[in-house]
Amino acid sequence: MLQPIDEELVSSYKQARRDGCEFPPLILHKPPRAQLFVPIDGNQRLQAYLALGQKTTDSYLVDCPDQQVIDRITWSFN
């Protein structure tokens, strides 16, 4: 499930990172047969990191084959 990007929030996160602020780890999921991780929580932070050229960040990986569980976790964060 793709989450919309809030450009104002992303801009605010970029400035906070430039000012040295730290953020909580991203929470990610890798769907079966997918090559990319999908954010469960931290979509705006991820966009800010990418815009700043940050190549790595701490993250938690939710490893669960049940998409319904992933959806419920995503809804609880968002």
Side-chain angles (χ1 to χ4, degrees):
M1 172 185 350
L2 294 176
Q3 297 295 320
I5 300 299
D6 180 339
E7 294 298 336
E8 188 173 319
L9 184 57
V10 170
S11 179
S12 152
Y13 284 159
K14 288 189 322 190
Q15 187 58 50
R17 286 294 297 152
R18 286 187 199 107
D19 293 341
C21 291
E22 295 291 326
F23 294 109
L26 303 174
I27 300 177
L28 306 172
H29 168 65
K30 188 172 180 191
R33 298 179 301 280
Q35 294 185 5
L36 299 174
F37 293 97
V38 176
I40 290 175
D41 181 54
N43 194 38
Q44 314 306 322
R45 286 176 278 143
L46 177 59
Q47 292 304 312
Y49 298 155
L50 293 172
L52 291 170
Q54 184 173 330
K55 300 210 185 283
T56 62
T57 189
D58 292 333
S59 61
Y60 294 108
L61 177 61
V62 176
D63 185 17
C64 179
D66 188 338
Q67 186 59 46
Q68 188 174 30
V69 171
I70 298 300
D71 289 344
R72 286 182 179 164
I73 293 170
T74 303
W75 295 331
S76 70
F77 277 104
N78 296 298

PDB file of all heavy atoms in Angstrom, residues 8-21 23 48 52:
ATOM      1  N   GLU A   8       5.530  19.039   2.794  1.00  0.00           N
ATOM      2  CA  GLU A   8       5.855  19.976   3.875  1.00  0.00           C
ATOM      3  C   GLU A   8       6.529  19.238   5.044  1.00  0.00           C
ATOM      4  O   GLU A   8       7.513  19.718   5.603  1.00  0.00           O
ATOM      5  CB  GLU A   8       4.583  20.674   4.348  1.00  0.00           C
ATOM      6  CG  GLU A   8       4.841  21.800   5.320  1.00  0.00           C
ATOM      7  CD  GLU A   8       3.568  22.568   5.640  1.00  0.00           C
ATOM      8  OE1 GLU A   8       2.764  22.815   4.727  1.00  0.00           O
ATOM      9  OE2 GLU A   8       3.402  22.900   6.826  1.00  0.00           O
ATOM     10  N   LEU A   9       6.008  18.068   5.374  1.00  0.00           N
ATOM     11  CA  LEU A   9       6.601  17.275   6.447  1.00  0.00           C
ATOM     12  C   LEU A   9       7.986  16.765   6.050  1.00  0.00           C
ATOM     13  O   LEU A   9       8.920  16.796   6.851  1.00  0.00           O
ATOM     14  CB  LEU A   9       5.680  16.108   6.806  1.00  0.00           C
ATOM     15  CG  LEU A   9       6.106  15.229   7.969  1.00  0.00           C
ATOM     16  CD1 LEU A   9       6.300  16.046   9.244  1.00  0.00           C
ATOM     17  CD2 LEU A   9       5.072  14.124   8.192  1.00  0.00           C
ATOM     18  N   VAL A  10       8.126  16.331   4.804  1.00  0.00           N
ATOM     19  CA  VAL A  10       9.429  15.874   4.309  1.00  0.00           C
ATOM     20  C   VAL A  10      10.446  17.009   4.405  1.00  0.00           C
ATOM     21  O   VAL A  10      11.576  16.815   4.861  1.00  0.00           O
ATOM     22  CB  VAL A  10       9.322  15.337   2.863  1.00  0.00           C
ATOM     23  CG1 VAL A  10      10.701  15.083   2.269  1.00  0.00           C
ATOM     24  CG2 VAL A  10       8.482  14.063   2.826  1.00  0.00           C
ATOM     25  N   SER A  11      10.047  18.198   4.007  1.00  0.00           N
ATOM     26  CA  SER A  11      10.934  19.362   4.076  1.00  0.00           C
ATOM     27  C   SER A  11      11.344  19.649   5.521  1.00  0.00           C
ATOM     28  O   SER A  11      12.515  19.941   5.810  1.00  0.00           O
ATOM     29  CB  SER A  11      10.228  20.567   3.472  1.00  0.00           C
ATOM     30  OG  SER A  11      11.043  21.699   3.548  1.00  0.00           O
ATOM     31  N   SER A  12      10.391  19.535   6.425  1.00  0.00           N
ATOM     32  CA  SER A  12      10.680  19.744   7.841  1.00  0.00           C
ATOM     33  C   SER A  12      11.651  18.697   8.365  1.00  0.00           C
ATOM     34  O   SER A  12      12.579  19.006   9.130  1.00  0.00           O
ATOM     35  CB  SER A  12       9.353  19.716   8.606  1.00  0.00           C
ATOM     36  OG  SER A  12       9.489  19.293   9.894  1.00  0.00           O
ATOM     37  N   TYR A  13      11.472  17.443   7.965  1.00  0.00           N
ATOM     38  CA  TYR A  13      12.393  16.375   8.369  1.00  0.00           C
ATOM     39  C   TYR A  13      13.791  16.598   7.789  1.00  0.00           C
ATOM     40  O   TYR A  13      14.796  16.353   8.447  1.00  0.00           O
ATOM     41  CB  TYR A  13      11.875  15.010   7.935  1.00  0.00           C
ATOM     42  CG  TYR A  13      10.746  14.467   8.770  1.00  0.00           C
ATOM     43  CD1 TYR A  13       9.896  13.490   8.257  1.00  0.00           C
ATOM     44  CD2 TYR A  13      10.514  14.898  10.070  1.00  0.00           C
ATOM     45  CE1 TYR A  13       8.868  12.960   9.006  1.00  0.00           C
ATOM     46  CE2 TYR A  13       9.481  14.381  10.826  1.00  0.00           C
ATOM     47  CZ  TYR A  13       8.661  13.413  10.298  1.00  0.00           C
ATOM     48  OH  TYR A  13       7.644  12.888  11.045  1.00  0.00           O
ATOM     49  N   LYS A  14      13.864  17.054   6.548  1.00  0.00           N
ATOM     50  CA  LYS A  14      15.175  17.324   5.941  1.00  0.00           C
ATOM     51  C   LYS A  14      15.920  18.385   6.738  1.00  0.00           C
ATOM     52  O   LYS A  14      17.108  18.230   7.026  1.00  0.00           O
ATOM     53  CB  LYS A  14      15.018  17.771   4.478  1.00  0.00           C
ATOM     54  CG  LYS A  14      14.619  16.655   3.562  1.00  0.00           C
ATOM     55  CD  LYS A  14      14.645  16.983   2.082  1.00  0.00           C
ATOM     56  CE  LYS A  14      14.202  18.324   1.674  1.00  0.00           C
ATOM     57  NZ  LYS A  14      14.037  18.502   0.234  1.00  0.00           N
ATOM     58  N   GLN A  15      15.218  19.453   7.102  1.00  0.00           N
ATOM     59  CA  GLN A  15      15.864  20.512   7.879  1.00  0.00           C
ATOM     60  C   GLN A  15      16.290  19.999   9.247  1.00  0.00           C
ATOM     61  O   GLN A  15      17.384  20.312   9.728  1.00  0.00           O
ATOM     62  CB  GLN A  15      14.943  21.722   8.029  1.00  0.00           C
ATOM     63  CG  GLN A  15      15.631  22.908   8.678  1.00  0.00           C
ATOM     64  CD  GLN A  15      16.874  23.351   7.908  1.00  0.00           C
ATOM     65  OE1 GLN A  15      16.835  23.542   6.700  1.00  0.00           O
ATOM     66  NE2 GLN A  15      17.987  23.487   8.608  1.00  0.00           N
ATOM     67  N   ALA A  16      15.451  19.210   9.871  1.00  0.00           N
ATOM     68  CA  ALA A  16      15.793  18.655  11.186  1.00  0.00           C
ATOM     69  C   ALA A  16      17.040  17.773  11.097  1.00  0.00           C
ATOM     70  O   ALA A  16      17.911  17.821  11.970  1.00  0.00           O
ATOM     71  CB  ALA A  16      14.609  17.869  11.748  1.00  0.00           C
ATOM     72  N   ARG A  17      17.152  16.977  10.036  1.00  0.00           N
ATOM     73  CA  ARG A  17      18.351  16.126   9.852  1.00  0.00           C
ATOM     74  C   ARG A  17      19.580  17.006   9.644  1.00  0.00           C
ATOM     75  O   ARG A  17      20.642  16.718  10.190  1.00  0.00           O
ATOM     76  CB  ARG A  17      18.176  15.179   8.664  1.00  0.00           C
ATOM     77  CG  ARG A  17      17.246  14.026   8.899  1.00  0.00           C
ATOM     78  CD  ARG A  17      17.736  13.045   9.931  1.00  0.00           C
ATOM     79  NE  ARG A  17      18.969  12.424   9.476  1.00  0.00           N
ATOM     80  CZ  ARG A  17      19.910  11.965  10.289  1.00  0.00           C
ATOM     81  NH1 ARG A  17      19.779  12.058  11.583  1.00  0.00           N
ATOM     82  NH2 ARG A  17      20.995  11.417   9.806  1.00  0.00           N
ATOM     83  N   ARG A  18      19.441  18.057   8.854  1.00  0.00           N
ATOM     84  CA  ARG A  18      20.575  18.977   8.645  1.00  0.00           C
ATOM     85  C   ARG A  18      21.008  19.600   9.971  1.00  0.00           C
ATOM     86  O   ARG A  18      22.182  19.876  10.175  1.00  0.00           O
ATOM     87  CB  ARG A  18      20.192  20.089   7.674  1.00  0.00           C
ATOM     88  CG  ARG A  18      20.110  19.661   6.240  1.00  0.00           C
ATOM     89  CD  ARG A  18      19.882  20.873   5.326  1.00  0.00           C
ATOM     90  NE  ARG A  18      19.379  20.461   4.060  1.00  0.00           N
ATOM     91  CZ  ARG A  18      18.117  20.625   3.642  1.00  0.00           C
ATOM     92  NH1 ARG A  18      17.225  21.218   4.407  1.00  0.00           N
ATOM     93  NH2 ARG A  18      17.746  20.202   2.467  1.00  0.00           N
ATOM     94  N   ASP A  19      20.047  19.800  10.863  1.00  0.00           N
ATOM     95  CA  ASP A  19      20.336  20.386  12.183  1.00  0.00           C
ATOM     96  C   ASP A  19      20.852  19.349  13.180  1.00  0.00           C
ATOM     97  O   ASP A  19      21.091  19.680  14.334  1.00  0.00           O
ATOM     98  CB  ASP A  19      19.077  21.052  12.749  1.00  0.00           C
ATOM     99  CG  ASP A  19      18.651  22.275  11.945  1.00  0.00           C
ATOM    100  OD1 ASP A  19      19.481  22.819  11.190  1.00  0.00           O
ATOM    101  OD2 ASP A  19      17.475  22.672  12.068  1.00  0.00           O
ATOM    102  N   GLY A  20      20.972  18.096  12.741  1.00  0.00           N
ATOM    103  CA  GLY A  20      21.541  17.059  13.593  1.00  0.00           C
ATOM    104  C   GLY A  20      20.543  16.227  14.377  1.00  0.00           C
ATOM    105  O   GLY A  20      20.939  15.415  15.216  1.00  0.00           O
ATOM    106  N   CYS A  21      19.262  16.389  14.114  1.00  0.00           N
ATOM    107  CA  CYS A  21      18.250  15.609  14.832  1.00  0.00           C
ATOM    108  C   CYS A  21      18.294  14.138  14.398  1.00  0.00           C
ATOM    109  O   CYS A  21      18.567  13.834  13.239  1.00  0.00           O
ATOM    110  CB  CYS A  21      16.853  16.153  14.563  1.00  0.00           C
ATOM    111  SG  CYS A  21      16.563  17.763  15.310  1.00  0.00           S
ATOM    112  N   PHE A  23      16.085  10.442  14.345  1.00  0.00           N
ATOM    113  CA  PHE A  23      14.717   9.960  14.286  1.00  0.00           C
ATOM    114  C   PHE A  23      14.674   8.477  14.625  1.00  0.00           C
ATOM    115  O   PHE A  23      15.682   7.784  14.517  1.00  0.00           O
ATOM    116  CB  PHE A  23      14.130  10.172  12.887  1.00  0.00           C
ATOM    117  CG  PHE A  23      13.965  11.610  12.516  1.00  0.00           C
ATOM    118  CD1 PHE A  23      14.775  12.200  11.566  1.00  0.00           C
ATOM    119  CD2 PHE A  23      12.989  12.383  13.122  1.00  0.00           C
ATOM    120  CE1 PHE A  23      14.621  13.524  11.218  1.00  0.00           C
ATOM    121  CE2 PHE A  23      12.822  13.721  12.786  1.00  0.00           C
ATOM    122  CZ  PHE A  23      13.642  14.289  11.830  1.00  0.00           C
ATOM    123  N   ALA A  48      12.737  12.017   3.114  1.00  0.00           N
ATOM    124  CA  ALA A  48      13.692  13.047   3.516  1.00  0.00           C
ATOM    125  C   ALA A  48      15.120  12.513   3.421  1.00  0.00           C
ATOM    126  O   ALA A  48      16.011  13.201   2.913  1.00  0.00           O
ATOM    127  CB  ALA A  48      13.393  13.530   4.933  1.00  0.00           C
ATOM    128  N   LEU A  52      18.133  13.876   0.875  1.00  0.00           N
ATOM    129  CA  LEU A  52      19.413  14.357   1.403  1.00  0.00           C
ATOM    130  C   LEU A  52      20.594  13.497   0.946  1.00  0.00           C
ATOM    131  O   LEU A  52      21.735  13.803   1.260  1.00  0.00           O
ATOM    132  CB  LEU A  52      19.370  14.383   2.934  1.00  0.00           C
ATOM    133  CG  LEU A  52      18.441  15.430   3.540  1.00  0.00           C
ATOM    134  CD1 LEU A  52      18.299  15.182   5.036  1.00  0.00           C
ATOM    135  CD2 LEU A  52      18.968  16.828   3.273  1.00  0.00           C
TER     136      LEU A  52
END
